[in-house]
Amino acid sequence: MKHAIRRRILRTNPLPKGKESTAVTKTSNAVDKRSLMNADQAAALLDWIRRRPRGGQRLHAFFATLYYCGLRPEEAVAMRVQDVTLPGPDAADQWCELLIHTATPEVGKQWTDTGEIHEERDLKGRAEGETRTTPGHPALTRILRQHIEDEQLKPGDLLFQGETGGILAGSVIRRAWRSARKAVLPPHVFDSPTGRRVYDNRHTRLTKWLNDGIPPAQVADWAGNSVPVLLATYARCVEGQLPDLKRRLEAAGDLPEPPGAD
């Protein structure tokens, strides 16, 4: 409107008087606690996907990786078999390790130079070429070892593939997740924010790490976030630590009695 007035297209600003139109509306990036899944819900959803007739085992490995490692979906679909370090079957330590170095988000054919739906990018919030590693629970080690064996994957192959061997499509991922929620969750939970988005697997895992007492700096490193962003996003979801914090504060003791006090 100001530009129109300067160009003498308008004589006055017709908008109601009040705050400037350029004022930024305050928004919150904090995660809604209602979107987080409990262990029983996550287990039931993953099990339903595993038993899905069409591509269930393959999709189960994908969703299990999101849940156990807190990856962004676009990071998981870009992984290669060689990016996973699996311990030997008889090793005492059965934790695996994932190397995350690329993301391939869906941006649409009209927005890529190649005409493909996905575009390969560096990791979100990281410098060009930077990587990160994330530990994988022994339960995930078993799943990925079986997945690689069943699919007969080679080191250079995509870890999670579509039916034709290409990149796993976002539409397939979202449809499988929605079907699992509809089949597993009671109607009132299905209609709630609980696990509504595929991304809520990541939110659930990062929150669990924080609630389990993993230092925020370590969680941020595994997740590919900065510590300030991590805390601003998940601070409202951290719970269950108050009793331990109270014990620490009590252990510090009270003020000393002043000399001569009765």
Side-chain angles (χ1 to χ4, degrees), residues 8-249:
R8 299 182 183 278
I9 298 172
L10 294 175
R11 298 182 62 183
T12 59
N13 189 338
L15 293 177
K17 292 184 178 180
K19 292 184 178 180
E20 290 291 334
S21 59
T22 56
V24 177
T25 302
K26 292 185 178 179
T27 60
S28 174
N29 293 322
V31 168
D32 185 348
K33 290 176 65 172
R34 299 175 300 166
S35 68
L36 305 179
M37 298 171 286
N38 61 41
D40 290 337
Q41 290 167 339
L45 289 165
L46 289 176
D47 183 62
W48 188 93
I49 290 172
R50 180 180 61 81
R51 292 184 288 105
R52 188 173 185 260
R54 187 172 177 178
Q57 295 284 352
R58 186 185 307 114
L59 287 167
H60 174 254
F62 171 79
F63 283 110
T65 301
L66 298 189
Y67 177 76
Y68 281 111
C69 294
L71 300 189
R72 299 178 178 93
E74 63 265 27
E75 295 171 342
V77 297
M79 289 187 63
R80 303 276 173 178
V81 176
Q82 62 198 12
D83 298 328
V84 182
T85 302
L86 296 173
D90 299 325
D93 185 353
Q94 283 296 303
W95 284 77
C96 62
E97 186 176 78
L98 277 57
L99 175 65
I100 317 300
H101 55 82
T102 309
T104 53
E106 284 186 335
V107 295
K109 294 181 179 181
Q110 68 272 32
W111 304 113
T112 62
D113 295 332
T114 61
E116 300 292 333
I117 295 176
H118 297 81
E119 181 179 63
E120 185 172 312
R121 297 179 181 176
D122 290 304
L123 298 182
K124 183 178 179 180
R126 298 269 172 149
E128 184 177 351
E130 192 173 348
T131 66
R132 76 174 194 273
T133 57
T134 305
H137 192 278
L140 180 63
T141 298
R142 294 191 295 270
I143 293 170
L144 291 181
R145 183 182 288 126
Q146 190 65 49
H147 169 69
I148 293 171
E149 180 181 334
D150 291 345
E151 297 291 318
Q152 299 181 346
L153 299 176
K154 298 180 177 59
D157 292 341
L158 285 170
L159 182 61
F160 306 114
Q161 301 179 4
E163 290 185 340
T164 60
I167 193 167
L168 186 58
S171 58
V172 174
I173 295 168
R174 291 187 293 271
R175 186 164 57 248
W177 186 249
R178 188 181 189 280
S179 297
R181 289 185 74 249
K182 193 174 179 102
V184 168
L185 302 178
H188 71 282
V189 180
F190 175 76
D191 292 335
S192 76
T194 302
R196 181 176 293 169
R197 302 184 306 158
V198 173
Y199 209 94
D200 290 328
N201 283 279
R202 171 177 167 86
H203 290 327
T204 298
R205 174 52 49 184
L206 269 57
T207 299
K208 188 174 188 325
W209 278 338
L210 291 170
N211 283 330
D212 287 345
I214 306 298
Q218 182 62 78
V219 174
D221 182 59
W222 289 343
N225 282 340
S226 67
V227 174
V229 167
L230 179 81
L231 295 178
T233 304
Y234 297 99
R236 297 179 186 175
C237 301
V238 178
E239 58 185 18
Q241 299 181 18
L242 185 57
D244 181 58
L245 295 175
K246 286 181 178 178
R247 285 192 294 270
R248 293 187 193 181
L249 293 173

